[in-house]
Amino acid sequence: MKEQKISLFSVEEKLEQYGELGMVRLTTSEYQKLCLKLGEGVANELITDLDLYIAGNKNSEKYKKHYAVILTWARKKSQDFHTSRLQKGKNIIGL
């Protein structure tokens, strides 16, 4: 008897091109999730950053999952922002 594999994720979404140069590949649902999590402006800014990065770097093939890259970059920017605010506060207080 032949075993059948059943997948809950049998319908694969098509990757769409995003960014001015069209180098960023996301599904529609990934783009929507980015807009919900980050806000549309920030999501589009990070898409532009990744788009330009991919176009200008021959080592950009290492970025297979653009959705994950954008979330990682957003997290890093947020951490950098909070770190710089804390540092500014210490400088004002004189610590």
Side-chain angles (χ1 to χ4, degrees):
M1 188 173 198
K2 198 173 190 180
E3 204 175 297
Q4 262 187 322
K5 292 183 181 181
I6 300 173
S7 174
L8 296 175
F9 304 102
S10 59
V11 178
E12 269 192 50
E13 283 189 77
K14 181 182 170 196
L15 289 173
E16 304 288 339
Q17 295 177 318
Y18 289 87
E20 184 178 340
L21 305 172
M23 304 297 277
V24 176
R25 308 267 195 246
L26 300 167
T27 65
T28 302
S29 64
E30 287 173 333
Y31 177 74
Q32 290 170 345
K33 286 190 279 187
L34 287 173
C35 289
L36 284 173
K37 289 180 180 189
L38 308 173
E40 188 175 0
V42 173
N44 288 330
E45 180 183 325
L46 290 169
I47 287 169
T48 298
D49 290 348
L50 181 55
D51 193 43
L52 295 172
Y53 179 82
I54 291 170
N57 291 288
K58 60 184 174 188
N59 295 330
S60 62
E61 307 90 44
K62 67 181 179 178
Y63 293 129
K64 303 265 186 248
K65 297 285 186 184
H66 294 171
Y67 177 73
V69 173
I70 291 168
L71 286 177
T72 301
W73 285 8
R75 189 174 190 203
K76 174 91 171 90
K77 280 189 173 197
S78 176
Q79 288 171 345
D80 290 348
F81 174 76
H82 292 296
T83 301
S84 71
R85 285 189 64 189
L86 286 172
Q87 198 60 36
K88 285 180 184 176
K90 287 179 181 179
N91 290 340
I92 292 170
I93 300 172
L95 297 175

